[in-house]
Amino acid sequence: MELSSEFWWFILIGLGAQLVDGALGMAFGLVSSSVLLSMGLPPAQVSASVHTAEVFTTGASGVSHLVAGNVDKRLFFRLALPGALGGALGAYVLTQVPGDLIRPLIYLYLLVLAIIILARAAGRWMPKGEIRRVPVLGFFAGLLDASGGGGWGPVATSTLLARGGQARTTIGTVNAAEFVVTLTISATFLLSMGVQHLQIVAGLLIGGMMAAPVAAVLVKRVKELWVLVAVGVLVLGISLFQVGHALFGYLGRWPATS
């Protein structure tokens, strides 16, 4: 396979996206997809490449967080197994529902979570007690992730942090569980279509695997307050942008009145 000059850009994109995802528990797909689309690559090619690469980057990230001591094993199993079930179901069912109908509701939910997380970082609100219904959260996060919205990290991490989860173990465990979910979602795609767009996949996974150990150390050493602020701002920005994009798209399709 002859390497193009863009291959090195794919490595940098994977490295940057995994630094964000590994340190904040979300956004590998969001960051890498946004940059690849801005380079003029077709959406279908971008989606296939990012999901294939994520099988490897989530594996490296999960191992890195496990070695760094960032994984809560009980929380891992409560998230990963229902998440894989939800992802498998979503791969067959949820993708048949128009994504434009679902995504605005997801991002409105994330907008509320972002406000709660920032309030917690400011000391205005502190949840108490054990986090409940984690399997239900894992199931629906996997279901949404399979729909193509990339919902695992934003939904799972934001919900757990908003409910009082410790930043370090929440982010580490969500990243580790994501490998199981991503592998389940991608298995049918890989078996039926094979690995396509090898240069993009290879670049993203090389960069992502290089960044995974660094991100795992960062989330362990950085103060929880700053992690909460970073997650809250990131989710707030994502949700506001996506809600605005959906709203303007809807208004753009609204019939003009005379």
Side-chain angles (χ1 to χ4, degrees):
M1 178 180 65
E2 184 179 351
L3 299 180
S4 67
S5 58
E6 293 180 328
F7 176 72
W8 306 107
W9 285 108
F10 299 147
I11 293 179
L12 288 176
I13 293 167
L15 191 150
Q18 186 57 46
L19 277 176
V20 175
D21 191 281
L24 300 183
M26 66 187 76
F28 179 89
L30 176 73
V31 172
S32 55
S33 295
S34 299
V35 177
L36 290 172
L37 288 171
S38 71
M39 294 172 66
L41 297 172
Q45 181 177 344
V46 170
S47 178
S49 302
V50 170
H51 278 88
T52 303
E54 276 190 307
V55 174
F56 300 93
T57 59
T58 54
S61 180
V63 171
S64 299
H65 279 292
L66 184 63
V67 172
N70 299 336
V71 177
D72 181 328
K73 294 180 180 178
R74 180 169 178 264
L75 179 61
F76 171 83
F77 287 109
R78 294 171 72 200
L79 268 179
L81 299 181
L85 179 61
L89 180 62
Y92 288 99
V93 178
L94 200 59
T95 50
Q96 305 302 315
V97 180
D100 291 342
L101 298 177
I102 302 171
R103 291 191 185 96
L105 299 177
I106 299 172
Y107 289 112
L108 282 172
Y109 171 72
L110 292 176
L111 180 61
V112 174
L113 290 180
I115 295 172
I116 293 175
I117 292 170
L118 290 173
R120 179 185 167 191
R124 300 291 183 181
W125 182 79
M126 181 56 66
K128 297 180 181 179
E130 183 183 2
I131 301 170
R132 299 178 181 178
R133 299 176 182 172
V134 172
V136 176
L137 170 63
F139 177 82
F140 280 104
L143 196 70
L144 295 173
D145 196 68
S147 72
W152 175 259
V155 171
T157 301
S158 301
T159 302
L160 291 171
L161 289 178
R163 292 181 180 177
Q166 184 185 15
R168 177 177 66 85
T169 54
T170 294
I171 291 170
T173 306
V174 169
N175 269 268
E178 188 176 12
F179 169 70
V180 179
V181 177
T182 303
L183 185 62
T184 303
I185 294 172
S186 302
T188 303
F189 170 76
L190 292 172
L191 290 173
S192 61
M193 299 184 63
V195 180
Q196 300 181 4
H197 321 300
L198 287 177
Q199 287 204 42
I200 303 176
V201 174
L204 290 177
L205 72 88
I206 289 172
M209 293 178 76
M210 288 169 58
V214 179
V217 172
L218 280 176
V219 75
K220 186 175 183 178
R221 295 178 180 249
V222 176
K223 290 183 178 180
E224 183 174 53
L225 172 64
W226 294 111
V227 175
L228 289 173
V229 170
V231 171
V233 170
L234 178 61
V235 176
L236 185 66
I238 293 171
S239 55
L240 285 175
F241 175 81
Q242 294 292 348
V243 169
H245 183 270
L247 179 61
F248 283 114
Y250 176 76
L251 293 176
R253 294 192 298 269
W254 191 265
T257 57
S258 58

